[in-house]
Structures are given as C-alpha cells and as structure tokens.
Amino acid sequence: MMNWKLVFFICFQLSNIYSEAPVVSNISFGPIQFTSLKNGESNKRYIWLHGDEKTAKMAIEYHISKYFGTAFLIQGEERVVRIDGLRLDPNRIFSELGVKRTLLKYHPNATKKKRMNIISLLNKERDRFLTKLDIPNDGILIALHNNSRGYSIDSELSKAANYSIKSDQNRHDFFLCTDKRDFEILALSPFNVVFQQNQHKDDDGSLSRLMERKGYRYINIEVRLGWLSQQKRMLKYLENNIH
C-alpha cells in the first residue's frame, strides 16, 4: 500500500529544491553577453567580468545557490571581449576614456573610424546596461576578481582614501569599496580592505570608477586565482555583515 504522506513529503521537498534554483536569463552590454542568475529578492547584485578568472565564477555560482541575490556572469572563456574583431578588457569599458585606452593597448594600428564606432556603441549602451543590472536604492554591486599577475592591495594604496591591512592576510586578497559606511564595517573584518573615493581624475574605465561616479555602493572581492575557499569566506562575511 502506498504511503501517501511520504509521497507528499518527498514532493514538497523537491518543490522547495526546484523553487530555490536560480532563474536563468540573459542581458547584454551592446554585443557583450551576460548570463543572469536570480535567486529570490535581495539588495545585492554580483558581477563577474573576466572569463579567465574561474575561481571568482565558481565562488559566485556557489554563493547565489545558497543566498538571495542576482548574479551577472560574462559569457566567454577569455580575459578580453571582442567587438568587430577588436579586443577590449571588459573592466575598462565603463567610460569613454577607458574604451579608448583599452583599444589603443590591444590595437594601436586599428583605424580611427573602427575604434570610434566601438566607442560610440558602448557610450550609447552604458547607461542601459546599468539599468539592466537593476540595482535597488541603497543596493550594492559586488564584483569578484582573481589576480595572478602581481596585482595586490599595494597597487591601490597610493590612491586610496583609507585602508586596513591585516598582518595575517595575504596582500593579494582584499576588499575594495566605494562607500564609507561599508569601509568602516569591513575595516573591522578579518580581511584587508581599501577605500576608494574621489578618484574621478584617475579614470581607467573600470566598473569601480563608474560606480563611484554614479553614487552606487560597490565592493570588489579580489582574491588569488585558485583560492576558492578564501573568496567564499569573504562573500559570506559580506552576506552576514553588509546590508
């Protein structure tokens, strides 16, 4: 004889599992495509920009399966994106000057017309992309990056408004934030943190510079490539302490 109570319990548990699976969709920044993973409602948005930084991607995918929020993952395996055959660093396209510089870096011999077409396209799409991120009022955008090329918190100190370095933490692992309230909380954390403010003159086209100019709360979690457990710990600290 079938135990209907048991069947109902199993179905109920399965429905809970499936209802908690992130909803998958797509958004774009011009021709640059992102996969969107949405798990419930939260004021937190997550973004992964460099296709070769696999540890960061794994950290976001794990986190969004456990906690509410929306994540945006760039589609591609390379560090660069390609528009009309030209390479660009996707974390250098959030200002016109940044786009100009990344195009000159990778393609100094490309025609001016070809570069200007790309610059014009991204200028038109930039604000639309921010709208698609759907960051709530007083919401926060959390970017995840990995480093393996010498970049560390020391690279940011000369232009930082403030910072906190912990003696037992690797200097390649740190938070970078644009909101003073968030910095004050993170300065008390076990992790390194740098506060970026008033960097309008240092326009490198990065997402952090754009978020600061627009007045959004932004935190980058920068961790050595391969140190997944560290990036997970830092994400969890944000989940529990930054609201």
Side-chain angles (χ1 to χ4, degrees), residues 7-21:
V7 171
F8 177 80
F9 176 77
I10 292 172
C11 290
F12 178 75
Q13 294 298 318
L14 287 174
S15 68
N16 281 344
I17 292 171
Y18 291 125
S19 67
E20 292 173 0

Side-chain angles (χ1 to χ4, degrees), residues 202-217:
D202 184 27
D203 181 7
D204 60 2
S206 63
L207 183 55
S208 67
R209 299 285 188 259
L210 178 63
M211 292 294 100
E212 183 191 343
R213 286 197 303 274
K214 295 285 188 179
Y216 286 103
R217 297 167 64 199

Side-chain angles (χ1 to χ4, degrees), residues 184-225:
E184 290 171 348
I185 293 170
L186 294 174
L188 300 175
S189 78
F191 307 106
N192 300 322
V193 57
V194 62
F195 178 35
Q196 172 186 294
Q197 188 182 47
N198 299 324
Q199 295 296 321
H200 307 307
K201 295 180 181 179
D202 184 27
D203 181 7
D204 60 2
S206 63
L207 183 55
S208 67
R209 299 285 188 259
L210 178 63
M211 292 294 100
E212 183 191 343
R213 286 197 303 274
K214 295 285 188 179
Y216 286 103
R217 297 167 64 199
Y218 170 92
I219 296 175
N220 173 31
I221 305 179
E222 185 77 38
V223 170
R224 290 161 289 166
L225 186 67

